[in-house]
Each structure stands twice: as structure tokens, then as C-alpha cells.
Amino acid sequence: MKYGPAMRAPAWWARAATVFLSIGECPGESEVRRSGRRVFLVAFVIATVLTIPQIVQDFVAGYRWVAMLNVVAVIVPVGLLAAMWRWPCRFDLLLSGMFAVVMLATLGEVVLFGGLLSSGIVPIFGLVVALAVLLVAGTRLAMVWFGVYFAVVVFSLFSDRWIEPRYMLADPAADAAFNLVATGIVTVAVMVYFVRQRDMFQRRSDALLHNALPDVIAARLRNGTARIADDVPAASVLFADVVDFTPMSATLTPAELVGLLDELFTAFDGLVAELGLEKIKTVGDAYMVAAGVPVARDDHAPAVAELALRMRAHVAGTTFGGRQLQIRIGIASGPVTAGVIGTHRFAYDLWGDTVNMASRMESSGVAGSIQVTPDTYELLRDGFRCQPRGPIRVKGKDEMFTYLLLERRAPPPELSDRQPVG
């Protein structure tokens, strides 16, 4: 029983931290603002705690008015923090009020100690204020506060000519050194935060780009290539779709339909990744893959044939959404044109007669079969067993003698060395 309170403490602290870090949170808040606001709240607590010993020290040293200014500079911001919790959508306004009190206290110290250097360069903390605003509220308001900081520095530089100091610091240089170091620590911390934020969003951006485009194409776009269009002399293209998908989809709810396709295509994605091929796109229940683009490879036809066999075997031995499916697969080999289209939503796609033939091999195929063109058959005949299907009518080609891919003659081929196209 004696361990009970200790075990409950972390949960209590977690709840308290969650409530505290929610101060100033508004509906629709961006992730950048949320993280910046939370960093500020933590820094506010640390700064407040570190200010209390300084207040005590000022009282002990006889700097009573300076100590009182710092007391006000603590109490008022704490009250404004409570107001932020009550009215979160007024966070920026209350933040400005908080920093206005801090800057007025800083000006008071300058006046009481008689200038910029004699106060230990205390106005340098105005730079911390500007950085804090930049962290939480953005560039526009931060520039306003940087202007305030600049004005305070200018005033401090000439104030000793107009105002007689009330106190004299025993060692202004030591205080100045402390203030500069403290400001430097805050500045570095803020810069580290922004660098980490930049790196995080860059990683997310890169991940999204790589999810939409092949790696080498994404790299070319990042390097500033304005238009990507490559003529590829030799590649293989595969199309696969579900047999009788349209009547089956009429019996499914939208959730069931999407779930079935997601389960099927996720399995296909894994097979494509294992073989180092390139998924081009999905259209409805059709799944398109290519080998030889955007990275050239000599074994493009065997690699796609291996994928087709694995896809067929997986579908034959698996149920999807509780249903047993059949697929048709078509493969064609030859030259293609590859490129990126679009500016807002990039798409890497292929064009040419080879692409059309692969699609027609699929649509004219037999359920559970893998139909290939004569060009593909010539590239596969040594490593795979194929069965002649005979002449069939193909749109745009009249009659064509096609083959059905049955099985490999030897163990799966190793992936060949590949070189980027273009």
C-alpha cells in the first residue's frame, strides 16, 4: 500500500501538465503554433522560478525599487497567464500585455541604475521578448516587439544624460556578462527549436513526396528540375484488376469496398517493395506496376513476371474481406515515355503503346491468368514456362498471338544492378 501514492503521482502530474500546456489553445491551432506555445509556457515557468532568487538578492542588496519592479513583472504576467487560460483565443493580446509589463520593468531598471552599461545591459532581455513572440505569435508581431527592443536600447544608451541614477551596481561588468550569457542561452534554445521544427517538417515533406513519387524522381524535383520527361527504350508494364469487381462492389458498403481494396493493394505494395519495382498508380480496382523506370534494369521482364506469379499465388491463397477473389494480369514490354505531370498534386506516369498493350493484355485475359505480349514472351522464355494462347483480337492491333505465363523454370531471379533513367 505504501507504494500507491508514488504510483499515482505520474498520472496526476501528467494531467496537470496537460491542463497547463493547453493554456492559450484555440480551435484550429496549427501544429507549429501549438508546439511554440508549449515551449513558451515551459520557458515562462522556468523564467519565473529563476526571477524569485534575483528579487530576494535585490532586496538584500538594498535595491528595493528594482526588487519591487521585478515583483510586479512576476505577479502581473502570472495573472495574465490565468487570463490566457480563461480566454485562450485572446492569447496574442494577453501575451503582448505580459511582455509590455516586462519591458516596462526593464526600462525602470535602466532608469534606476542610470543607463545601458551601468544597469548591466539589462535591456538585452528585450531581445528574449522578441524571440519569444516570434516563437509563439509569428513574424509580424515579433517585428513589432523587435522595434520596441530597439527603442529601449536607444533610450538606455542616452538615459544617463537625462536622469540621475538611484542605485549603483557593485560590478556592472559581471551583471552584463550574466545577462549576455542568459540571453545567449535563450537565443540558442529558440534557434535549436526552429531548426528541429524545420527538420521535422522537411522530413514530413520528403516522406510525402517520396510516397507520391519514386525516390530518384523526387530527388530531381528537389534539385530544381523544371520538367521531368524521359524516353525509356526498354521497360515492362503490368496491369492487374479484380475479376467481376463491378457487380461485387454493388453488394458492398462503402467501408467494406474500401477495406477490401486497401487489404488487397497493401499486399501488392509489399510484393512490389520486395522485388524493387515501381508502383505507378491504382485506378479503381486496377493496379499498375512497372520495371525499368525510373531506374533502368536489364531484367525488367523477369522481375515483373515474378511479381505477377506472386500476386496470383497470394490472391489464390488469401481471402479479402471474407471473400475469395480472382484477378487478371496483363504484361507488355517495350519502350515507354515516363514523366511527372501536375504542379499541385504530382503524379509520375507512363505513356506509350507498351502501356496500352499491358492494359489490353489484362482486359482481354482469362480469370486467374497472366497474359503477356510476344515481346514479353521473348524476354521470358528462357526462365519461365509460357503457354501459347493463340491469336486474339486486341483493340487497335487486330489479331495478336499472345501467351499465358504459367510458372518459373528456375528459382526466382536475383535483382540486377539498376541505373537511373534520364
Side-chain angles (χ1 to χ4, degrees), residues 93 109 129 243 281:
L93 178 62
E109 284 198 48
V129 169
V243 176
K281 62 184 176 181

Side-chain angles (χ1 to χ4, degrees), residues 136-165:
V136 180
T139 306
R140 182 176 300 179
L141 192 57
M143 293 307 296
V144 172
W145 279 101
F146 185 81
V148 173
Y149 160 67
F150 180 78
V152 170
V153 170
V154 172
F155 172 82
S156 303
L157 186 62
F158 298 103
S159 63
D160 59 340
R161 303 181 184 183
W162 311 319
I163 304 171
E164 189 70 22

